[in-house]
Each structure stands twice: as C-alpha cells, then as structure tokens.
Amino acid sequence: AVDNGAKIINMSFGKSFSPEKKWVDEAVQYAAAHDVLLVHAAGNDSKNVDSAANYPNPFFLSQKIRAPNYITVGAGGYRYTTTSGIVADFSNYGSNAVDIFAPGVKMYSTLPGGDEYGFLQGTSMAAPVVSGVAALIRSYFPKLSAEQVKFAIEKSIQPLPDSVLVNLPGSAEKVPMNELCRTAGFLNADAAIELAATLKQEPLIYEK
C-alpha cells in the first residue's frame, strides 16, 4: 500500500498472536519512513489490551519504542445520551495501548455480497471513521506529516467531564474514560480540522 501511494492505511483486522512480529515492525517502520499514517482497530473482545496481547500494535520489539505514525481506535457506543452507552460493550480498551474512541455501533455501511447496505458494529467500523477524518485533514493540508495528523486528531478529542464514569467493556463496573484510552476521549472531526489548520506545513522529505 505504501509503495502504491497510500498516505493513510486503515487496518480493520487483528489477532492475539504474532509469530514474526519483527517483520510487521519493519512494515510499520517502512510506513513511518514514507510518512504514512496507520489506523488500527483495537479489537472486539472486551479486553484490556495493555495486558492482553493484540496484534498488530505500535510497540517495536527491538527498540522498545512506540511507532509515531500509529493510531489505535476503540469503539464508541450508540446511545450517547447515557453514560452506559458511550462506550461499546464489546470494545477492547487500554489506557496505554488504545489512543482514542470513535463511533462503532449501528454504523450504516455497505455489506458483502452485492449492492446492499445495513447497520454494522465493531472497532472495524470505528477505525475507518478515524481514517476518514485523517484523509480529510490530509486532503485540506497535504503538507502536514503523518505525525502532525495524529497530533491533530488526538489533541482535539471530545473529553468527558471528570465526574462522568462509563461502563468498563464486558462488565457493569464504572470507570473514568482515562482508564480506557490514552486521550481519555472521543474523535471530534470539527475540532481536529480546526487544530490541523493551525499547524505549520512543511515540505515532506522521504527516506530512500
């Protein structure tokens, strides 16, 4: 995808094992070297992926650092008027491993098998929402780097008030949003565009 000119790669897939993670890490580094943003679905097992393995992920085995061009997305719920429905019950989460939450329940989309549409759910519906906002930013501001686009998306989140607790996915336990993802908030497309507009655009230099 990088070699074919993609600037954003949506990754709506995952698994609990990675026999040759070093090869995957090389692909992530290759994307970073070519200024490509990677957006990955967190998974749908109601698991804390800070401790439960979920691949691919942005953590390089060799250098013990985090890929700078990588966003991991959890699924927000459908009923935003109630705290219990703000986070999808099935979504994986992690205060370190998941970056942001985005709409992932009752998403109207194309269906396999022909000219059909319907409602679907999953972090594989949430990640493309973030990818779409990233594409919108890069279309308006093409000289922003992948890291700047990630910055704009993550620094413009819609937070919850400190007093608001949400359901921990897979349980009835109430927790603050900062226990579910690094940014402690939800994608805000309008705010992300506004923030991106303030960032300095630089000519991009790719590694050969």
Side-chain angles (χ1 to χ4, degrees):
V2 172
D3 288 345
N4 279 283
K7 303 308 297 178
I8 299 151
I9 298 176
N10 183 79
M11 303 189 297
S12 292
F13 51 78
K15 59 186 185 299
S16 60
F17 58 93
S18 187
E20 298 293 348
K21 189 178 189 308
K22 61 182 180 293
W23 295 346
V24 182
D25 286 352
E26 288 172 2
V28 172
Q29 290 169 318
Y30 187 77
H34 288 77
D35 193 45
V36 177
L37 182 68
L38 304 177
V39 182
H40 183 234
N44 306 320
D45 303 305
S46 306
K47 291 181 179 179
N48 184 347
V49 290
D50 285 350
S51 53
N54 185 59
Y55 301 101
N57 63 42
F59 306 105
F60 296 136
L61 287 178
S62 56
Q63 299 113 318
K64 305 298 182 184
I65 61 174
R66 190 188 203 108
N69 61 321
Y70 202 111
I71 303 176
T72 302
V73 185
Y78 172 62
R79 298 188 181 279
Y80 285 92
T81 55
T82 62
T83 56
S84 62
I86 291 175
V87 172
D89 185 60
F90 56 78
S91 181
N92 285 351
Y93 57 94
S95 60
N96 183 45
V98 176
D99 296 302
I100 193 170
F101 274 67
V105 174
K106 203 170 184 180
M107 305 296 288
Y108 195 64
S109 180
T110 54
L111 299 177
D115 185 16
E116 297 181 28
Y117 295 80
F119 290 101
L120 297 172
Q121 66 179 25
T123 57
S124 287
M125 301 304 291
V129 177
V130 175
S131 294
V133 172
L136 186 62
I137 292 172
R138 298 204 94 165
S139 67
Y140 273 96
F141 312 108
K143 292 183 179 179
L144 289 183
S145 68
E147 292 183 44
Q148 287 177 305
V149 175
K150 173 181 167 70
F151 175 87
I153 288 172
E154 294 184 356
K155 292 298 182 181
S156 62
I157 54 97
Q158 178 66 46
L160 294 178
D162 292 339
S163 60
V164 174
L165 301 180
V166 299
N167 277 4
L168 185 72
S171 78
E173 181 183 352
K174 298 286 188 179
V175 298
M177 195 65 196
N178 63 12
E179 292 190 16
L180 302 188
C181 69
R182 288 177 56 245
T183 61
F186 299 84
L187 178 71
N188 185 327
D190 184 59
I193 290 289
E194 288 187 358
L195 179 54
T198 69
L199 301 178
K200 184 178 180 181
Q201 299 187 67
E202 300 286 356
L204 302 178
I205 301 174
Y206 303 132
E207 293 183 12
K208 299 296 183 183

